[in-house]
């Protein structure tokens, strides 16, 4: 059991952090002996003690004075730490220590230690030179700049804490973010922005299509980035366009649902659909640009929606003003409910419009979840995590972060990658998903497998690679439901064996999703020299059937 000491203002961060690092904990009580004391603010209650004490703070404090710890440099600005060869961005204050501590955690620029260890007869004391809770709040509320997008920072904070606990001789149990029978979750999603080229008559969308199909594709061919077959397909689409307008030829953007169902071959993906036509919506400062407005509305796709629902796919809201106005959000959600017959509808905002108050607004509007948080200009971890999480100011709605978007990969004004470059970046994120678990969320737009983009081959490669790496493919709603199940787990002491803990699943939790596992880490007693290995833990399945169950830690 971890006893946590924190300021009252940080208790919301503590609660959410321990939903992501799902392990037994409680706010520290007086006269209690814990396995671990995690001190991140406030005062240690009278008589509280532990085998291992971890003290996080980014500036010198009374703990340092009391224990005569010699501090080094203090930084009030962002820095980067090195942890077992991995970079951890720190967005707040850091402090270094004069004593050497075998180098588990060092400042990247100065190579100074950011961790200090003292062992005595009372236990092990570890001083970590940054504020854990401030960093977690920064990630969940503000997010990371695009320069650090490739770093799963929050997961690395969890990994460091886990290693500190097990490496100093304390056993640990947790519910990892890994579905039973799989290595991680993969969520395939599609923002439906332009399902009909026929609806676009000499607007910026058509002009952009003609320019890229005629000239950019030829330039890419000479650069070795596009095969001649794709160039010919684009030119054929240009030739076909007048006949599409006249109704003599099929709309080559209209067939997106059939193409995706063919590529995904039984995988259930999620399609976010715009509710109303010719509505550009608002920004925080006024009206949004007119070209944000879609040239279709959800009811234009009623047959497609039914086909997707019948195939087991999910249809969500590609919101216009739901991020800003709860009354408009209710109207937008209700339109998707009416067309799908589904009560629980998730949201991803068109153009990824979002602000700090959006989770509260979406919760009031009645959204089941949100999947807007991500980058327009790059790919990676906006909030530093692979996991579904609850924004700090809401009570119910969960956030499924978006990690990879096709336009961010390929647009020249974003990353502008070739297919090979996109695959290399994708492999890094997929490798992190295997390492940390959680959910890797991909957004491939409706028209991205049609002329002029023709990014279908790359998407097909991504899907095949996810299969090979052992992913559970879930709709956005299923992924969120699995994380809700994980969040419902409660730990309690075994009344027959007070030194053991058990995990309980409420009996009303659905058993249709993959199960959970309890991971039991053995103590390592290796100090700061290494991280724990897979051989250092065992996994036990804890969810089978619908009854309340428990498993005792070993």
């Amino acid at each position: 059991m971890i006893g946590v000491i924190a300021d009252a203002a940080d208790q919301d961060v503590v609660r959410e952090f321990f939903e992501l690092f799902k392990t037994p904990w409680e706010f520290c009580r007086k006269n209690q002996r814990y396995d671990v004391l995690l001190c991140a603010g406030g005062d240690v209650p009278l008589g509280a003690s532990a085998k291992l004490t971890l003290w996080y703070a980014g500036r010198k404090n009374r703990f340092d004075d009391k224990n005569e710890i010699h501090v080094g440099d203090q930084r009030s600005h962002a820095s980067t730490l090195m942890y077992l060869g991995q970079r951890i961005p720190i967005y707040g204050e850091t402090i270094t220590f004069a004593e050497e501590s075998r180098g588990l955690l060092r400042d990247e620029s100065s190579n100074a230690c950011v961790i200090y260890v003292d062992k005595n007869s009372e236990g092990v004391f570890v001083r970590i030179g940054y504020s854990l809770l401030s960093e977690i709040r920064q990630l969940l509320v503000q997010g990371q700049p695009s320069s650090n997008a490739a770093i799963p920072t929050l997961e690395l904070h969890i990994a460091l804490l886990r290693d500190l606990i097990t490496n100093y001789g304390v056993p640990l149990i947790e519910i990892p973010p890994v579905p039973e029978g799989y290595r991680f979750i993969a969520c395939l999603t599609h923002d439906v922005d332009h399902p009909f080229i026929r609806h676009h008559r000499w607007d910026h969308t058509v002009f952009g299509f003609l320019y890229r199909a005629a000239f950019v594709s030829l330039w890419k061919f000479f650069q070795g980035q596009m095969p001649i077959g794709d160039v010919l397909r684009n030119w054929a689409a240009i030739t076909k366009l007048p006949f599409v307008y006249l109704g003599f030829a099929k709309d080559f953007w209209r067939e997106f649902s059939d193409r995706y169902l063919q590529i995904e071959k039984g995988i259930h993906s999620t399609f976010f659909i715009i509710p109303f036509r010719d509505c550009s919506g608002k920004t925080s400062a006024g009206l949004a640009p007119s070209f944000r407005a879609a040239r279709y509305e959800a009811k234009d796709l009623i047959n497609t929606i039914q086909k997707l629902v019948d195939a087991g796919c999910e249809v969500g809201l590609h919101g216009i003003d739901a991020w800003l106005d709860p009354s408009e959000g209710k109207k937008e959600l209700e339109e998707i409910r009416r067309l799908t017959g589904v009560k629980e509808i998730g949201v991803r905002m068109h153009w990824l419009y979002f602000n700090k108050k959006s989770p509260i607004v979406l919760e009031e509007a009645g959204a089941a979840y949100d999947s807007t948080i991500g980058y327009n200009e790059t790919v990676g971890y906006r909030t530093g995590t692979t996991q579904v999480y609850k924004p700090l100011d809401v009570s119910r709605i969960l956030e499924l972060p978006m990690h990879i978007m096709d336009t961010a990969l390929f647009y020249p004004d974003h990353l502008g990658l070739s297919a090979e470059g996109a695959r290399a970046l994708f492999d890094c994120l997929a490798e992190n998903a295997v390492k940390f678990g959680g959910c890797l969320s991909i957004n491939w737009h409706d028209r991205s497998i049609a002329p002029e983009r023709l990014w279908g081959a790359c998407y097909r490669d991504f899907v095949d690679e996810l299969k090979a790496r052992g992913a559970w493919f879930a709709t956005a709603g299923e992924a969120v439901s699995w994380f809700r199940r994980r969040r419902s787990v409660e730990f309690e002491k075994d009344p027959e064996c007070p030194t053991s803990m058990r995990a309980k699943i409420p009996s009303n939790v659905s058993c249709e999703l993959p199960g959970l596992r309890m991971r039991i880490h053995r103590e390592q007693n290796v100090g700061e020299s290494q991280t724990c290995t897979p051989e250092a833990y065992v996994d036990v399945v804890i969810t089978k059937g619908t009854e309340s169950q428990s498993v005792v830690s070993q």
Side-chain angles (χ1 to χ4, degrees):
M1 175 70 75
I2 300 174
V4 179
I5 304 168
D7 294 330
D10 287 328
Q11 290 188 1
D12 57 343
V13 182
V14 174
R15 292 187 178 94
E16 187 55 29
F17 177 77
F18 281 103
E19 293 294 348
L20 302 176
F21 182 29
K22 191 72 175 180
T23 192
W25 74 281
E26 67 179 18
F27 287 113
C28 186
R29 296 178 289 139
K30 64 181 182 180
N31 298 321
Q32 291 293 313
R33 176 72 176 177
Y34 291 96
D35 299 304
V36 180
L37 269 182
L38 195 160
C39 306
D43 297 317
V44 179
L46 182 66
S49 61
K51 179 180 179 181
L52 171 65
T53 300
L54 307 173
W55 200 298
Y56 284 87
R59 58 175 61 184
K60 186 175 181 180
N61 59 23
R62 63 185 182 281
F63 178 85
D64 302 323
D65 293 332
K66 178 181 178 181
N67 293 275
E68 298 182 347
I69 299 173
H70 300 293
V71 301
D73 295 331
Q74 180 171 327
R75 292 187 177 182
S76 58
H77 54 82
S79 59
T80 302
L81 308 184
M82 294 300 299
Y83 162 57
L84 298 176
Q86 295 182 291
R87 304 173 77 241
I88 304 182
I90 300 295
Y91 299 103
E93 297 176 320
T94 58
I95 194 169
T96 62
F97 303 100
E99 292 89 344
E100 284 292 321
S101 189
R102 299 175 61 185
L104 176 68
L105 192 65
R106 289 184 175 273
D107 181 85
E108 184 181 50
S109 60
S110 68
N111 203 38
C113 286
V114 190
I115 193 168
Y116 170 80
V117 180
D118 181 34
K119 299 179 181 179
N120 56 42
S121 58
E122 296 181 5
V124 180
F125 296 84
V126 182
R127 173 73 166 86
I128 306 99
Y130 68 88
S131 171
L132 175 64
L133 300 184
S134 294
E135 296 302 313
I136 302 303
R137 183 182 295 279
Q138 167 73 28
L139 292 169
L140 295 182
V141 177
Q142 301 291 339
Q144 314 193 99
S146 58
S147 58
N148 291 329
I151 305 175
T153 306
L154 199 153
E155 301 301 326
L156 291 172
H157 286 302
I158 293 174
L160 172 61
L161 176 56
R162 180 190 298 114
D163 288 349
L164 288 172
I165 292 172
T166 58
N167 288 359
Y168 284 106
V170 179
L172 178 75
I173 62 173
E174 66 172 319
I175 310 298
V178 182
E180 178 58 28
Y182 303 91
R183 303 178 77 182
F184 61 99
I185 304 171
C187 188
L188 307 179
T189 70
H190 311 290
D191 289 357
V192 180
D193 293 342
H194 306 96
F196 307 95
I197 197 169
R198 181 181 286 117
H199 289 188
H200 296 271
R201 299 295 179 94
W202 309 116
D203 59 10
H204 75 283
T205 299
V206 168
F207 287 126
F209 163 79
L210 293 172
Y211 171 72
R212 288 187 289 270
F215 302 110
V216 175
S217 58
L218 187 62
W219 177 82
K220 286 185 175 181
F221 167 72
F222 286 116
Q223 295 293 316
Q225 296 182 3
M226 179 175 283
I228 188 62
D230 284 355
V231 176
L232 295 177
R233 285 182 64 189
N234 280 339
W235 286 0
I238 295 173
T239 304
K240 187 179 180 181
L241 187 57
F243 299 97
V244 172
Y245 286 144
L246 292 171
F248 298 144
K250 289 184 178 180
D251 189 327
F252 44 81
W253 285 1
R254 178 68 181 83
E255 301 167 354
F256 71 92
S257 59
D258 291 334
R259 291 194 182 110
Y260 276 118
L261 290 176
Q262 183 180 23
I263 291 173
E264 293 164 359
K265 296 177 182 177
I267 294 171
H268 298 163
S269 56
T270 298
F271 293 77
F272 293 102
I273 294 179
I274 291 172
F276 306 122
R277 182 199 310 264
D278 297 331
C279 181
S280 61
K282 303 173 184 176
T283 70
S284 299
L287 293 177
S290 60
F291 57 87
R292 182 176 182 250
R295 298 296 181 258
Y296 84 100
E297 55 191 353
K299 66 182 181 182
D300 295 337
L301 295 175
I302 183 61
N303 293 332
T304 297
I305 290 172
Q306 190 59 55
K307 180 188 295 185
L308 293 172
V309 171
D310 290 345
C313 294
E314 177 188 16
V315 174
L317 169 67
H318 204 26
I320 303 169
D321 284 328
W323 69 287
L324 193 63
D325 185 334
S327 62
E328 291 300 315
K330 290 177 182 178
K331 294 177 185 177
E332 295 174 16
L333 286 162
E334 185 54 39
E335 181 67 2
I336 305 301
R337 289 193 187 102
R338 184 180 70 83
L339 295 172
T340 61
V342 176
K343 181 179 179 182
E344 296 293 313
I345 301 296
V347 176
R348 176 177 292 146
M349 293 307 306
H350 188 33
W351 285 17
L352 305 188
Y353 276 16
F354 217 72
N355 63 24
K356 293 180 182 179
K357 295 182 180 179
S358 293
I360 300 173
V361 173
L362 289 170
E363 183 166 88
E364 185 179 345
Y369 65 85
D370 178 70
S371 186
T372 303
I373 297 299
Y375 297 100
N376 273 306
E377 71 279 15
T378 189
V379 302
Y381 311 97
R382 185 66 179 262
T383 48
T385 183
T386 60
Q387 299 190 50
V388 172
Y389 65 92
K390 184 175 72 68
L392 298 180
D393 293 331
V394 299
S395 59
R396 175 188 56 82
I397 195 171
L398 297 183
E399 181 68 36
L400 170 66
M402 182 188 69
H403 300 111
I404 301 173
M405 185 160 67
D406 49 7
T407 51
L409 288 171
F410 298 118
Y411 268 10
D413 55 346
H414 294 333
L415 294 176
L417 298 175
S418 64
E420 292 76 14
R423 176 58 187 265
L425 188 52
F426 168 81
D427 284 344
C428 291
L429 272 68
E431 185 175 338
N432 282 335
V434 172
K435 181 176 182 179
F436 297 109
C439 180
L440 185 62
S441 180
I442 300 174
N443 178 17
W444 223 256
H445 287 80
D446 56 317
R447 61 184 274 204
S448 294
I449 53 177
E452 84 291 2
R453 292 179 179 173
L454 298 176
W455 298 335
C458 188
Y459 179 70
R460 187 180 289 107
D461 287 345
F462 285 5
V463 173
D464 290 343
E465 181 62 24
L466 291 169
K467 290 179 181 177
R469 289 180 181 265
W472 170 49
F473 289 92
T475 65
E478 289 171 339
V480 170
S481 294
W482 187 87
F483 273 92
R484 286 194 189 278
R485 167 187 275 189
R486 178 173 176 255
R487 296 171 72 91
S488 73
V489 174
E490 296 179 353
F491 294 101
E492 63 180 21
K493 289 185 177 181
D494 179 14
E496 298 180 0
C497 183
T499 61
S500 294
M501 302 293 297
R502 60 184 184 182
K504 297 186 66 177
I505 307 296
S507 58
N508 61 348
V509 172
S510 170
C511 64
E512 297 178 356
L513 302 173
L516 305 174
R517 62 185 76 183
M518 175 186 280
R519 180 160 293 172
I520 304 169
H521 296 268
R522 303 183 183 93
E523 62 270 28
Q524 298 295 292
N525 289 308
V526 295
E528 313 101 78
S529 62
Q530 66 180 48
T531 184
C532 62
T533 62
E535 294 76 18
Y537 63 76
V538 295
D539 284 347
V540 179
V541 178
I542 63 170
T543 53
K544 292 292 184 183
T546 59
E547 298 299 322
S548 175
Q549 298 191 20
S550 63
V551 172
V552 180
S553 64
Q554 302 299 316

